[in-house]
Amino acid sequence: MADAAEHASFLPPILTFCAAAVIAVPLFRKLGLGAVLGYLIAGIVIGPSVMGLVGEAENVRGVAELGVVLLLFIIGLELKISNLFAMRRDIFGLGLAQIVLTCALIATVAALLGHSARGMIVTGLALSLSATAIALQVLEERRDLATRYGQRTFSILLFQDLSIVPILALVPLLANTEALGSGQALAGAAGACARAFAAVALVVIVGRYLLNPLFRLLAASGAREVMTAAALLVVLGAAMLMEQVGLSMAMGAFLAGVLLAESNFRHQLEADIEPFRGLLLGLFFMSVGMSLDANYVRQNALLLLVLAPALVIGKSLIAAALARGFGSSWPDALRIGALLAPAGEFSFVLVPLGGEVGLLTGERVQVITALAALTMLLGPLLAKFIESQLALRPTGEEPAPDDLPAGEAGGSVIVIGFGRFGQVVNQVLLANGADVTVIDRNIDSIRSAARFGFKVYYGDGTRLDVLRAAGAGSADVVCVCVDDAAAALKIAEIVHAEFPRARTFVRAIDRPHAIALMNREVDFQLRETFESALQFGRATLEELGVDAEAARLVTEDVRRRDIARLVLQRSDGLLGGQDLLHGVKVKPEPLTPPKRKAAGLSAETRDLVADAEARP
C-alpha cells in the first residue's frame, strides 16, 4: 500500500506553480506589463535553470498545452460560421503572405549564418509562426478580440494553425530530397491530407447533428457537473482526434467551438470551460519560461541578444506592412505586427523534429529553441510599448466604432428569463431591432423559443461566469425577468457589483419584492401584476359609464399614490431590505380611506369582519 508521502508527492509542484502565479502576475500587472510576461518570468525563476523548484518542463508543457486548446475552443464559440467565411480573405490571403515572406526573410538570414539549404527552410518555417496563446491572451486582456485588428490578427493565427499539417509532412520529405518527388512520398502526403479531411468531416457531422441533442438531455437532468464533464469531453475529444491525424489539438478545439457557436448552450459551455482555460494557459506560459536554459543563454548571450530583438522587430515589420497593404490603418497594422512578433508554440515541436531527421545540428536546435523562447519574452514588451505610444496619439486618429466588424461581442440587452413575462419583453425589444441575448435554464422554454424563431441560450443567470460569458460586461441593460424573487435579487446584486456599466431593469413579483429591489438601487422595477391590474380597473370604469379621460385620471392618481407609498415604505425600518429577506410581510392597505364600513353577506363573514375591526 502506498504511503502518505507518495500520495502527497504531486502537491509540491502544484503549490509552487500557484505561489509563482500569485506573486508574479499581480506584480507584473501592477507594473503595466501584463499577465503573460508575469507567467513567463515566473516559469524562468522556478525552472531548472534558476531555482530548480520544478523540473521536466516538457512534461509540464504536455499538460499545459490544454490551456491553448481550451482558449481556441472559447474563441471558436464567439465566431459564427458566417463570420468565419467573411474572414476568408484575411485567413488565406494575409495569412499565407505573412508566412511566405517571413519564412523567406528568416531563411535568408539562416543561410548567411551557415545553415544548409534544407535546414534554413525548417528554421524559417519554425520561426515564421507566431505564439497563438500570447497574442490571444493580450487581445483578451485588452478586450480587443472583436475589433478589426483583433479579428485580422486572429485570421493570420488561424491560417498558421491550418498550415501545421503540410509543414509537418514537409520536414521528413526535406530530409530525403531524392524521395521528395517520388510517387511513394506523394501518396503518403495525399493519405495524410485525406485522414485530416476525414477527421474534420467527422467533427463537423457530430457537432452539427449530435451535440445539441446531447446537451439538451444533460441539461434536463439538472446535474451541472455533468454539463461541465460533457463540455470537456467535446473539447478534448475533438483535440485528440485532430492530433491523431496530424492536425494541431488547438485546431480541433477551435472547430468544435465554431460548430457550437450557434448552440443554445454556448454561454453555459464557455462559463464551464473558462476556469480550466485560465489555469492551464497560465501553466503553459510558465512551462515555456521553464524551458529556457539560462546557462546556455549566458554562454551565447551576444548572439542571442542580437538575433532575438532582430527577429521580433523583423517579424513585426513584415506583418505590419502586409496588414497595411490589406487595408488596416497604420496604428492597427503596428498592433498586429507586435502581436505576431513572438515565435509560436509549434516551434518547440518543429525544431526538435528537424534535429531528429538530420536537418539541424544539435547546437542549432539549442540556438533556435532559446531564440524562440526569448522572442516570447520580448514580444509582449514590444506590444506594450507600441500600445503605450499609440495611446499618446490624438483620439481623433483612431478608427471610428462603426469600422469594427459585425460580430457578437455581447448584446446591448441581456434578458434573463424567458417565461410568460420575459417573452413579452423580448418581443418588444426585437420589434425595435435591439440586439438581445436571452438566457434561461428551462429546457422547455428553449424549445418553445425555437419554434417562434427566438434565440435563447441555456444558462443560470445567477452565476457570474454565465453572465460574463453572455456579454454582461458590454451590455447596456440587463433585464431580469425571472419568476423567482430571491434569484432576481441575487442577479441584481451581481450586476451592480461586477458590471456597473449595465443598467438593471427587474421584474418584481410582489410589493415586498419591489421594496427589496428599490433598496438595492435597481434602475427600474415593475410589479408583474400592477400595470395590468390598473388597465383592468380602468377598462371596468369605462364599462360602467365613466368618461375615458376621467378613468385615465383616476388610474394615474392611483399609480401616483402607489409610488409615493412605495417610497415611504422603503424608508420604514421594519420594511428594510434585511427584514424583508427574513419574511416580513407588507400588510395590504387601501390607497384611499373607505367611505363606508365593511358588511358581511353571511353570518360567518359578519363574524370575521367584526373580529377584524376589533383588532388594532
Side-chain angles (χ1 to χ4, degrees):
M1 182 176 178
D3 57 24
E6 292 177 352
H7 285 298
S9 62
F10 64 91
L11 287 178
I14 293 177
L15 292 175
T16 301
F17 283 122
C18 292
V22 167
I23 295 171
V25 174
L27 175 62
F28 275 76
R29 279 186 176 273
K30 184 72 173 177
L31 296 173
L33 299 175
V36 173
L37 201 58
Y39 283 123
L40 291 170
I41 296 297
I44 293 174
V45 172
I46 67 175
S49 297
V50 182
M51 297 182 67
L53 298 178
V54 180
E56 301 295 332
E58 293 300 323
N59 294 339
V60 173
R61 189 183 301 150
V63 177
E65 282 179 353
L66 295 178
V68 183
V69 169
L70 298 179
L71 174 64
L72 265 293
F73 175 72
I74 291 177
I75 298 300
L77 285 176
E78 299 296 328
L79 278 177
K80 298 179 180 178
I81 294 179
S82 58
N83 290 344
L84 198 59
F85 182 76
M87 295 161 58
R88 64 190 183 279
R89 179 174 177 266
D90 288 337
I91 295 173
F92 296 102
L94 183 54
L96 177 62
Q98 185 271 334
I99 283 186
V100 170
L101 291 181
T102 307
C103 179
L105 175 64
I106 296 172
T108 301
V109 175
L112 295 176
L113 294 176
H115 284 235
S116 66
R118 291 173 290 175
M120 72 181 191
I121 294 176
V122 174
T123 303
L125 289 172
L127 297 180
S128 64
L129 302 177
S130 303
T132 300
I134 292 178
L136 294 183
Q137 181 73 8
V138 172
L139 285 171
E140 185 177 285
E141 289 179 0
R142 296 177 182 174
R143 300 185 183 276
D144 281 352
L145 186 58
T147 62
R148 184 176 294 279
Y149 90 89
Q151 293 287 285
R152 185 154 278 173
T153 302
F154 178 73
S155 298
I156 298 172
L157 294 171
L158 181 57
F159 181 82
Q160 292 181 3
D161 280 336
L162 291 172
S163 68
I164 289 175
V165 171
I167 291 175
L168 278 175
L170 178 64
V171 172
L173 294 177
L174 286 174
N176 187 358
T177 53
E178 290 79 12
L180 189 58
S182 69
Q184 184 178 1
L186 293 177
C193 291
R195 288 192 296 273
F197 279 118
V200 170
L202 179 60
V203 172
V204 170
I205 292 171
V206 171
R208 177 68 177 84
Y209 297 105
L210 298 182
L211 290 186
N212 269 319
L214 170 64
F215 284 118
R216 277 197 296 268
L217 179 65
L218 296 177
S221 70
R224 193 166 71 186
E225 67 279 4
V226 176
M227 287 285 290
T228 303
L232 289 172
L233 175 65
V234 169
V235 180
L236 301 182
M240 187 180 73
L241 177 62
M242 292 301 164
E243 185 183 37
Q244 292 299 314
V245 299
L247 286 165
S248 69
M249 291 195 298
M251 182 63 200
F254 172 75
L255 183 58
V258 170
L259 293 172
L260 286 170
E262 300 281 0
S263 169
N264 297 106
F265 303 93
R266 56 169 273 210
H267 294 312
Q268 185 72 38
L269 290 172
E270 182 176 346
D272 288 337
I273 290 293
E274 179 64 28
F276 301 98
R277 193 274 312 174
L279 289 172
L280 290 174
L281 196 59
L283 183 60
F284 171 79
F285 291 131
M286 281 195 278
S287 72
V288 172
M290 289 169 57
S291 68
L292 188 64
D293 189 339
N295 293 326
Y296 184 82
V297 171
R298 282 193 296 267
Q299 295 168 6
N300 299 270
L302 182 60
L303 177 64
L304 292 174
L305 287 177
V306 172
L307 291 181
L311 178 60
V312 167
I313 294 173
K315 288 184 66 176
S316 178
L317 291 177
I318 290 174
L322 288 172
R324 178 61 176 164
F326 273 71
S328 294
S329 63
W330 269 119
D332 279 357
L334 292 173
R335 291 186 177 103
I336 293 171
L339 290 174
L340 296 176
E345 306 87 357
F346 186 61
S347 60
F348 296 104
V349 176
L350 186 58
V351 173
L353 178 61
E356 291 174 9
V357 298
L359 297 177
L360 296 170
T361 64
E363 176 70 16
R364 283 172 177 161
V365 168
Q366 282 188 304
V367 171
I368 299 170
T369 303
L371 185 59
L374 285 175
T375 62
M376 289 185 172
L377 287 173
L378 297 177
L381 290 174
L382 177 63
K384 178 65 180 178
F385 173 75
I386 288 179
E387 192 64 27
S388 64
Q389 294 303 305
L390 292 176
L392 301 177
R393 296 166 61 91
T395 56
E397 297 185 18
E398 294 295 324
D402 291 339
D403 290 336
L404 301 181
E408 191 171 358
S412 59
V413 181
I414 295 178
V415 178
I416 304 173
F418 197 70
R420 54 190 175 84
F421 189 93
Q423 290 173 20
V424 177
V425 171
N426 202 37
Q427 293 228 25
V428 173
L429 295 173
L430 293 178
N432 197 49
D435 187 8
V436 182
T437 298
V438 187
I439 302 174
D440 197 287
R441 60 183 303 179
N442 187 296
I443 293 297
D444 293 330
S445 295
I446 292 175
R447 288 198 185 100
S448 300
R451 288 199 299 269
F452 289 97
F454 293 115
K455 185 66 174 179
V456 181
Y457 295 100
Y458 175 84
D460 184 353
T462 62
R463 288 177 55 183
L464 172 61
D465 50 1
V466 171
L467 292 174
R468 183 175 286 118
S474 58
D476 297 314
V477 181
V478 175
C479 296
V480 185
C481 302
V482 297
D483 58 1
D484 184 332
L489 291 172
K490 183 177 181 180
I491 294 170
E493 290 171 348
I494 292 174
V495 173
H496 278 185
E498 301 293 334
F499 312 108
R501 176 182 180 275
R503 297 186 294 279
T504 47
F505 281 41
V506 188
R507 164 197 186 181
I509 304 301
D510 51 26
R511 195 174 194 84
H513 189 213
I515 296 172
L517 290 170
M518 292 171 67
N519 286 331
R520 283 160 176 77
E521 305 293 342
V522 300
D523 295 285
F524 179 80
Q525 59 78 25
L526 181 67
R527 278 162 287 156
E528 60 180 2
T529 57
F530 182 65
E531 287 296 329
S532 59
L534 286 180
Q535 295 304 316
F536 194 98
R538 176 178 173 179
T540 304
L541 288 179
E542 293 179 4
E543 184 64 24
L544 292 174
V546 178
D547 180 71
E549 180 62 18
R552 185 189 68 79
L553 291 175
V554 170
T555 303
E556 289 298 327
D557 181 63
V558 173
R559 181 185 288 107
R560 178 179 56 81
R561 288 170 176 267
D562 183 81
I563 293 172
R565 180 169 165 237
L566 264 180
V567 173
L568 291 174
Q569 288 178 320
R570 179 189 179 189
S571 62
D572 191 327
L574 292 177
L575 297 177
Q578 294 298 321
D579 293 317
L580 283 172
L581 292 175
H582 286 290
V584 176
K585 304 294 183 183
V586 179
K587 182 179 179 182
E589 298 174 0
L591 294 176
T592 55
K595 297 181 180 179
R596 57 185 179 184
K597 291 185 176 182
L601 299 180
S602 65
E604 291 82 0
T605 54
R606 282 194 292 271
D607 291 339
L608 291 173
V609 170
D611 180 65
E613 291 177 344
R615 293 183 180 182

